[in-house]
C-alpha cells in the first residue's frame, strides 16, 4: 500500500528524521514507511510484544504480511508557535472525531500519545495517532483505472461515510481520492480528519487550508474571521462531485487548467455564472446528473442534495434493473451511451471533420436530399463556434456493435455540421444522449475522400430531423 491517511505516495527521500523498521514508538514497532507529507509521516506498525526481532520470527498465529496499524506521526519540534498550534489542533480534531464517530465507513482510531524520542530531537514531542491500517487509496485506483463494476459501490461508500459525518454534525472539509481509503475487501473508509470541523448551527470553521482542486466556489472568496473560514456540509458535496467525475473520467477534473490555481479560477468563473459546467462525456447519464447536482454553483443550489439523498438515489439505481441506468448495467440489455461518442481522448482532429454544408441555418436537419445536420444536446457545445475538441462527437464503425474505443473512426464532427447520408438502420445499438433521449436508429454518413473507412455511422439522437433514407441491406458493410 502506498497511501494512508491522505498523504499520497511514499516519499522517496533521504530525510534523517525517518524512522527505520524495528524502531519502537510507544507500544508499537515500525515495519515500513507508508507515506510522507509536509506535516506528518505515516508508518506501518505492529504491537511491540509481537515484534519478530524479539520473538525470533513471525508471532505465533500471525501470518506474515501487512502490518496491523498505521502510525501518523506529526512533529512539532522546531516549528513556529502558530505552526505548532495548527498541528496540535489538527490532531485534536482527528482524535475527537475518531473517538466520537466510529463507523464502518470511517477509518478506525485506536489511540494517541506524545512521542518521547530523545535520540531523535526532530521527533521528540511529536504527536502520534494510531489508526486502522488500510490496503490502498481511491487515488491509486483512479490512477490505475477504476473497474466499471466497482464505481457505483465505491461512490455509495463515500456517500455513506459523508452521511454519517453530516448527521453527526461534522464536515470533512478535505474530501479527495487520497483521503478515501480502501480495506483489503475494497470497502471504503474516509480518512484524514485534520480539517474536519463540528458544526455550530449551520456552519463550522476551518483554517484557510484545503486542497485547491476540491474547494467549492464560495470557499475561494470566503472571508477569514477569528475562528477561520466558514464551511458547511455542501462543501463536502461539491468535493464529492469532483471525486465522481474523477472516477469516471480517469482522474480528469471538470474544470480546465494546467495548475490547481488555474482550475480554481475556472471554478470561480463557473460559480459566478460566466462559464458553463463542462463534464467529461465519459460520465453515463445517471452519474452525469448526480455529479451536476453535487457541482451546483452555489451553496443554496447544492444544499438540497445531501449525502443521504444522494445515497438514496444511488441505492435506487442499483436496485432497479428495469430503469434506464439499470439497463445500461445489465449484460443482456446493455445500452451504449451517446455521451461516450464525445469523449474518446486524442481523436478530435479538426482537419478530419466532415462538413459538406456549413452555411445552412442551424436547426434545419436535412437541407437537401441525402444530407443530415449534426445535433449536440449539450447546450454549452451548441453555443461554441471554435470547434472545441471537448465538444466533438464520434462516429461509429459498426452500429450493431457496442460503442467502444475500437469501434470509433478517427474523424470527428461538431454541432451544426451537415453530413452526406445514404441509408439507415432501425435496430442498431441503443443510444441515449445528454437529454435522456433514446434511439436505436443510425444513419450511414460519407467521410471525406481518402478516409478509412470511407463511411461511418451517426446515431439518430445526434440529429434533430429524421430524414427519409432507404434501409441499409448490410449495415456493417461499407462499400
Amino acid at each position: 500500500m502506498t497511501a494512508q491517511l491522505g498523504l499520497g505516495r511514499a516519499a522517496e527521500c533521504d530525510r534523517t528524521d525517518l524512522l527505520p523498521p524495528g524502531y519502537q514508538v510507544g507500544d508499537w514497532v515500525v515495519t515500513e514507511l507508508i507515506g510522507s507529507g509536509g506535516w506528518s509521516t505515516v508508518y506501518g506498525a505492529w504491537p511491540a510484544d509481537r515484534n519478530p526481532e524479539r520473538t525470533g520470527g513471525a508471532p505465533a498465529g500471525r501470518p506474515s504480511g501487512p502490518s496491523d496499524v498505521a502510525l501518523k506521526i506529526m512533529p512539532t519540534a522546531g516549528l513556529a508557535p502558530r505552526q505548532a498550534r495548527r498541528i496540535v489542533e489538527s490532531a485534536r480534531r482527528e482524535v475527537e472525531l475518531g473517538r466520537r464517530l466510529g463507523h464502518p465507513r470511517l477509518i478506525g482510531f485506536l489511540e494517541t500519545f506524545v512521542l518521547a524520542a530523545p535520540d531523535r530531537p526532530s521527533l521528540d514531542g511529536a504527536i502520534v495517532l494510531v489508526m486502522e491500517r488500510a490496503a490502498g487509496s481511491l487515488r491509486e485506483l483512479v490512477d490505475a483505472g477504476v473497474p466499471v463494476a466497482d464505481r457505483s459501490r465505491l461512490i455509495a461508500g463515500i456517500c455513506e461515510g459523508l452521511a454519517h459525518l453530516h448527521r453527526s454534525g461534522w464536515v470533512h472539509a478535505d474530501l479527495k481520492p487520497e483521503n478515501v481509503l480502501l480495506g483489503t475487501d475494497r470497502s471504503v473508509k474516509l480518512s484524514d480528519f485534520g480539517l474536519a470541523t463540528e458544526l455550530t448551527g449551520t456552519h463550522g470553521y476551518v483554517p484557510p487550508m484545503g486542497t485547491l482542486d476540491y474547494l467549492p466556489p464560495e470557499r475561494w472568496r470566503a472571508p477569514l474571521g477569528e475562528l477561520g473560514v466558514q464551511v458547511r456540509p455542501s462543501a463536502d458535496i461539491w468535493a464529492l462531485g469532483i471525486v465522481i467525475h474523477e472516477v469516471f473520467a480517469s482522474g480528469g477534473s471538470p474544470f480546465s487548467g494546467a495548475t490547481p490555481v488555474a482550475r480554481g479560477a475556472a471554478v470561480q468563473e463557473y460559480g459566478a455564472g460566466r462559464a458553463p459546467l463542462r463534464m467529461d462525456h465519459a460520465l453515463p447519464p445517471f452519474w452525469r446528473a448526480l455529479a451536476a447536482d453535487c457541482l451546483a454553483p452555489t451553496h443554496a443550489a447544492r444544499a438540497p442534495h445531501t449525502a443521504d439523498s444522494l445515497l438514496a438515489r444511488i441505492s435506487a439505481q442499483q436496485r432497479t434493473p428495469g430503469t434506464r441506468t439499470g439497463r445500461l448495467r445489465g449484460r443482456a440489455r446493455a445500452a451504449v451511451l451517446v455521451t461516450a461518442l464525445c469523449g474518446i481522448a486524442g481523436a478530435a482532429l479538426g482537419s478530419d471533420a466532415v462538413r459538406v454544408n456549413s452555411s445552412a441555418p442551424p436547426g434545419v436537419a436535412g437541407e437537401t436530399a441525402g444530407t443530415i445536420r449534426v445535433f449536440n444536446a449539450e447546450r454549452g457545445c451548441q453555443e461554441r463556434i471554435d470547434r472545441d475538441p471537448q465538444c466533438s462527437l464520434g462516429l461509429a464503425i459498426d452500429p450493431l456493435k457496442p460503442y467502444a474505443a475500437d469501434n470509433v473512426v478517427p474523424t470527428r464532427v461538431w454541432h451544426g455540421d451537415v453530413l452526406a447520408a445514404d441509408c439507415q438502420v432501425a435496430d442498431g445499438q441503443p443510444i441515449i444522449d445528454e437529454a435522456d433521449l433514446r434511439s436505436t436508429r443510425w444513419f450511414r454518413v460519407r467521410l471525406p475522400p481518402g478516409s478509412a473507412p470511407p463511411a461511418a455511422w451517426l446515431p439518430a439522437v445526434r440529429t434533430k430531423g429524421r430524414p427519409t433514407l432507404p434501409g441499409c441491406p448490410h449495415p456493417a458493410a461499407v462499400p
Side-chain angles (χ1 to χ4, degrees):
M1 188 190 79
T2 58
Q4 171 81 31
L5 307 180
L7 294 176
R9 295 159 181 75
E12 296 194 14
C13 57
D14 56 358
R15 286 172 46 187
T16 58
D17 60 345
L18 295 181
L19 299 177
Y23 191 92
Q24 185 163 340
V25 178
D27 294 330
W28 306 91
V29 173
V30 170
T31 57
E32 82 267 46
L33 171 68
I34 293 176
S36 182
W39 299 98
S40 59
T41 304
V42 178
Y43 300 89
W46 59 41
D49 59 5
R50 297 165 71 184
N51 184 4
E53 293 183 3
R54 297 187 177 186
T55 61
R62 183 187 188 284
S64 60
S67 48
D68 294 309
V69 300
L71 304 179
K72 183 174 184 177
I73 300 180
M74 309 168 72
T76 58
L79 296 180
R82 179 178 296 179
Q83 292 174 320
R85 286 195 299 271
R86 183 174 292 171
I87 293 295
V88 171
E89 176 62 20
S90 175
R92 184 198 66 78
R93 284 192 181 96
E94 294 212 50
V95 171
E96 183 177 1
L97 190 147
R99 285 177 173 167
R100 291 172 55 184
L101 302 185
H103 189 271
R105 293 292 170 258
L106 306 184
I107 200 73
F109 175 84
L110 280 72
E111 64 170 321
T112 183
F113 56 90
V114 176
L115 176 62
D119 59 326
R120 294 178 178 268
S122 63
L123 294 177
D124 194 32
I127 299 171
V128 180
L129 305 182
V130 184
M131 319 288 286
E132 176 185 4
R133 176 74 186 266
S137 73
L138 181 59
R139 171 59 67 198
E140 295 168 306
L141 204 55
V142 166
D143 289 347
V146 182
V148 175
D150 288 342
R151 294 172 181 176
S152 178
R153 178 183 59 80
L154 292 172
I155 297 170
I158 298 172
C159 284
E160 288 181 39
L162 286 181
H164 179 70
L165 281 176
H166 295 172
R167 285 195 301 268
S168 302
W170 286 76
V171 179
H172 187 287
D174 197 23
L175 180 67
K176 56 186 176 181
E178 289 85 346
N179 293 341
V180 177
L181 303 185
L182 307 175
T184 54
D185 59 352
R186 288 300 201 194
S187 60
V188 168
K189 307 269 186 183
L190 301 190
S191 73
D192 202 344
F193 304 109
L195 291 180
T197 182
E198 191 169 14
L199 295 173
T200 303
T202 60
H203 296 79
Y205 295 88
V206 297
M209 302 170 63
T211 307
L212 298 183
D213 274 322
Y214 302 88
L215 298 183
E218 63 269 17
R219 275 290 302 276
W220 288 90
R221 53 183 181 272
L224 177 61
E226 292 184 2
L227 299 177
V229 177
Q230 286 188 349
V231 66
R232 294 173 282 201
S234 64
D236 285 346
I237 299 303
W238 171 277
L240 174 63
I242 301 293
V243 172
I244 292 172
H245 191 277
E246 289 186 299
V247 165
F248 283 92
S250 302
S253 170
F255 299 98
S256 61
T259 66
V261 172
R263 291 188 288 274
V267 167
Q268 295 174 74
E269 288 292 297
Y270 165 67
R274 293 188 293 266
L277 178 62
R278 299 288 302 280
M279 289 189 286
D280 194 293
H281 296 288
L283 275 73
F286 172 82
W287 294 105
R288 175 181 289 268
L290 199 80
D293 287 340
C294 293
L295 297 174
T298 65
H299 159 73
R302 213 178 308 130
H305 306 293
T306 65
D308 273 316
S309 70
L310 295 170
L311 179 60
R313 288 165 63 180
I314 295 171
S315 298
Q317 185 257 357
Q318 292 174 329
R319 290 193 307 265
T320 313
T323 62
R324 179 181 291 112
T325 51
R327 287 195 301 269
L328 295 174
R329 294 187 294 113
R331 288 175 179 260
R333 304 179 66 185
V336 179
L337 300 178
V338 77
T339 51
L341 297 175
C342 307
I344 305 300
L349 304 174
S351 60
D352 288 339
V354 180
R355 182 178 279 187
V356 300
N357 180 1
S358 59
S359 61
V364 180
E367 287 71 15
T368 62
T371 64
I372 190 169
R373 179 177 286 275
V374 176
F375 175 77
N376 190 333
E378 190 170 356
R379 186 173 298 277
C381 290
Q382 296 174 14
E383 298 168 354
R384 298 188 71 97
I385 61 174
D386 58 357
R387 301 175 77 77
D388 185 342
Q390 292 295 322
C391 287
S392 66
L393 306 176
L395 300 171
I397 297 172
D398 188 341
L400 304 183
K401 293 182 178 179
Y403 192 86
D406 59 356
N407 190 27
V408 181
V409 300
T411 300
R412 308 292 285 185
V413 296
W414 280 260
H415 178 78
D417 285 353
V418 179
L419 315 178
D422 55 16
C423 64
Q424 62 180 310
V425 295
D427 56 354
Q429 281 286 323
I431 297 295
I432 302 169
D433 74 357
E434 297 84 352
D436 281 347
L437 296 177
R438 181 180 185 275
S439 177
T440 60
R441 188 178 302 276
W442 291 74
F443 301 106
R444 192 169 68 189
V445 297
R446 293 292 169 178
L447 303 184
S451 298
W457 295 86
L458 180 77
V461 292
R462 284 306 191 195
T463 177
K464 272 292 190 181
R466 296 292 183 269
T468 301
L469 293 171
C472 300
H474 302 289
V478 178

